[in-house]
Amino acid sequence: MKKSDFICPVCGRGLEEQKWGFRCRAGHSFDRSARGYTNFLLPSQTKGKIPGDNKQMVDARRDFLELGLYRLLSDTLNREVLRWAQSRPEGEKKILDAGCGEGYYTARLQEAMEAAGQPGRILGFDISKFALAAAGRRTRQVQWAAASLFELPVENGWADLAVNIFAPYSEAEFGRVLHKDGLLIMVFPGPRHLYGLKEILYEKPYENDVKHYVLKDFSFTGRVTVGDTVTVEGKQNIQNLFSMTPYYWKTSPEAAQRLQALEALTTEIQFDLLFYHKDKNPGRQKPGREAKR
C-alpha cells in the first residue's frame, strides 16, 4: 500500500492505494473500475440518476474530437503548459484537469509532457462516468476520477497547475487545491468560435462575449487567442459538433433541420486561453491586466 494523490471525500483523510482501489484509515473504500477510473462521487453531490453527460453526448464529442479539427487548441495548451513546466524547478509537476470529459485534451497533454521529458502526475476529474470510461480507454497514465468539481478529493495546495476547459468551475475550489505559486488555465470559446454554425442556426448570428474573470486570490496574467477556419464534412460529424454546443438545447426545430440538410459546414473556430497565477499573499487581489504572451 502507498499514499495516493487523493483524499477521502467522506472524511478528508488521505487515501492509500491498493490493487483494487483506495481506502482511508477510517475504513471508507473506493473501488477502481475495470474501465480505468475511480468513483469518488457521493450521493449528496449528484443530481439525477445520470450525473453529467450521457453516453450519446460523450460518444458524439469523442468522435468529433478524433477528427482533429480542435487539435489547434490541444497543441496550444500543450505548448503553454510545457513552457510553464520548463520555467519551474526540476521535478514532478502535479497537474489537475477539472472537467476532463472523455480525456482528449488531458491524454494529449500527458503524451506531450512525456515526450518532452517533463515528469508529471495528472489527475482528470469529471462528473460523467460515461466520459471517464471513454477517458480510461485512452490511457491509464492519467488517474481518472468521478468527482464533483466543487468538492475535489485532493489535499489543499496539491496542484502546481489546474486546467479547466469549457467546464464549470469553482473559484473557491481552485484556490484551495492550487499550490501558493500555482497556475490556473481556463479555456473559453473565442468571440468568433463556430460563427459559421450560428449563421445556419440564427437569423442574426452573434459573437461570443469573452472577458477575463477577476478571481479572489488570483492575478490574471495573460490571454492567448488562437483560431482557424475548418470544414466539417458529413452529416453525422456536423451533428456531433452541434450536440457538443449549448445551441443544441436552444435551437428551433426549423434551424436544426437546416443544419441536418448540410453535407459540409465551414466555420471559424476560436479559443481563448486565460492564465491566472495564484497569489503568494492571498487576500490582496488586484484587478487583472492583460499581458501579451
Side-chain angles (χ1 to χ4, degrees), residues 94-135:
K94 297 178 181 178
I95 299 175
L96 184 154
D97 187 346
C100 63
E102 43 64 65
Y104 173 77
Y105 301 104
T106 328
R108 293 198 78 241
L109 175 59
Q110 187 277 326
E111 292 169 0
M113 293 195 69
E114 183 176 344
Q118 286 288 345
R121 299 212 303 273
I122 303 181
L123 308 183
F125 293 100
D126 203 274
I127 200 171
S128 167
K129 298 177 185 178
F130 296 106
L132 292 164

Side-chain angles (χ1 to χ4, degrees), residues 42-211:
L42 303 179
S44 60
Q45 297 172 335
T46 63
K47 295 181 180 180
K49 295 182 179 180
I50 304 179
D53 292 345
N54 60 33
K55 188 176 186 303
Q56 180 181 0
M57 296 166 67
V58 169
D59 289 348
R61 185 169 61 243
R62 178 203 62 208
D63 292 347
F64 178 82
L65 290 174
E66 288 300 323
L67 298 175
L69 297 178
Y70 279 14
R71 185 166 181 164
L72 171 66
L73 169 58
S74 178
D75 288 344
T76 302
L77 176 67
N78 293 351
R79 183 188 70 235
E80 294 294 329
V81 171
L82 287 174
R83 182 161 63 179
W84 162 83
Q86 290 162 1
S87 72
R88 302 280 296 180
E90 292 186 4
E92 203 169 40
K93 311 301 187 295
K94 297 178 181 178
I95 299 175
L96 184 154
D97 187 346
C100 63
E102 43 64 65
Y104 173 77
Y105 301 104
T106 328
R108 293 198 78 241
L109 175 59
Q110 187 277 326
E111 292 169 0
M113 293 195 69
E114 183 176 344
Q118 286 288 345
R121 299 212 303 273
I122 303 181
L123 308 183
F125 293 100
D126 203 274
I127 200 171
S128 167
K129 298 177 185 178
F130 296 106
L132 292 164
R137 288 192 290 270
R138 284 190 182 277
T139 181
R140 298 296 174 95
Q141 299 304 309
V142 174
Q143 292 196 72
W144 308 106
S148 167
L149 303 190
F150 299 89
E151 297 180 73
L152 294 167
V154 296
E155 292 180 351
N156 296 349
W158 178 88
D160 299 305
L161 169 69
V163 177
N164 183 256
I165 305 174
F166 309 138
Y169 73 97
S170 167
E171 179 179 338
E173 194 66 345
F174 284 146
R176 183 185 71 80
V177 302
L178 271 169
H179 186 267
K180 63 182 180 180
D181 192 29
L183 174 66
L184 167 63
I185 303 177
M186 301 180 71
V187 181
F188 297 96
R192 300 284 298 182
H193 186 58
L194 298 182
Y195 198 81
L197 175 65
K198 292 180 181 179
E199 288 180 313
I200 302 298
L201 298 177
Y202 305 126
E203 183 178 343
K204 296 181 179 180
Y206 57 91
E207 292 190 357
N208 299 316
D209 181 22
V210 180
K211 57 185 179 181

Side-chain angles (χ1 to χ4, degrees), residues 226-259:
V226 294
D228 197 1
T229 298
V230 300
T231 298
V232 186
E233 298 181 345
K235 291 180 180 292
Q236 187 59 58
N237 290 330
I238 294 172
Q239 288 303 308
N240 287 344
L241 171 61
F242 182 40
S243 69
M244 290 166 52
T245 71
Y247 319 128
Y248 182 82
W249 305 104
K250 53 184 181 181
T251 295
S252 69
E254 295 76 17
Q257 288 176 3
R258 289 197 300 271
L259 192 66

Side-chain angles (χ1 to χ4, degrees), residues 258-278:
R258 289 197 300 271
L259 192 66
Q260 289 173 358
L262 296 182
E263 296 289 348
L265 170 69
T266 297
T267 182
E268 293 175 72
I269 58 171
Q270 193 176 56
F271 310 100
D272 268 25
L273 292 81
L274 307 183
F275 299 81
Y276 296 84
H277 278 86
K278 180 83 174 289

